[in-house]
């Protein structure tokens, strides 16, 4: 049984994800049923910080709510409209929201 606080926190994360999402997509993983109508936050301006400083990268960050999708692995695909984004690696997971670094497939 979950506490009132846990239910309120889950509701808060759901509302935030719904308000901040700027796309609705589908998640495809080999051997699994596709997950459709997934609210996604897409960041096309990810910045890479390395030993030579920071620069813009061609990586696209896709953030999703853990309650909608438990995780993603390298090789999984998000589709948004006619664009396909292949997951390279997970770059952030705070227990509620997960961000995957993806590459656009042509």
């Amino acid at each position: 049984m979950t506490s009132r606080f846990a239910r309120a926190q889950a509701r808060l994360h759901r509302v935030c994800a719904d308000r901040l999402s700027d796309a609705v997509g589908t998640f495809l993983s080999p051997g699994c049923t596709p997950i459709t109508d997934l609210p996604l936050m897409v960041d096309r301006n990810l910045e890479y910080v390395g030993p030579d400083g920071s620069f813009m990268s061609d990586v696209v960050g896709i953030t999703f709510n853990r309650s909608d999708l438990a995780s993603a692995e390298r090789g999984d695909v998000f589709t948004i409209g006619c664009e396909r984004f292949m997951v390279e690696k997970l770059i952030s997971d705070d227990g509620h929201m997960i961000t995957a670094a993806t590459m656009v497939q042509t």
Side-chain angles (χ1 to χ4, degrees):
M1 182 171 182
T2 59
S3 69
R4 278 183 31 192
F5 178 75
R7 288 191 306 271
Q9 189 176 30
R11 189 171 53 248
L12 172 70
H13 286 289
R14 164 66 50 217
V15 169
C16 288
D18 290 344
R19 298 273 170 106
L20 295 175
S21 67
D22 50 5
V24 175
T26 300
F27 175 76
L28 307 164
S29 183
C32 296
T33 305
I35 299 174
T36 59
D37 300 326
L38 189 62
L40 302 171
M41 291 171 249
V42 181
D43 185 0
R44 296 178 188 271
N45 299 315
L46 284 184
E47 190 174 309
Y48 174 77
V49 178
D52 298 327
S54 62
F55 59 90
M56 299 305 290
S57 70
D58 58 349
V59 174
V60 176
I62 295 185
T63 303
F64 53 92
N65 197 334
R66 181 180 281 276
S67 64
D68 294 330
L69 177 61
S71 188
E73 296 179 0
R74 184 180 177 96
D76 292 342
V77 175
F78 289 96
T79 59
I80 301 170
C82 60
E83 289 185 294
R84 294 172 52 93
F85 302 90
M86 181 175 283
V87 175
E88 293 294 318
K89 67 178 183 175
L90 298 182
I91 55 175
S92 175
D93 182 354
D94 68 0
H96 299 286
M97 303 297 284
I98 300 172
T99 302
T102 65
M103 297 296 287
V104 177
Q105 287 187 310
T106 54

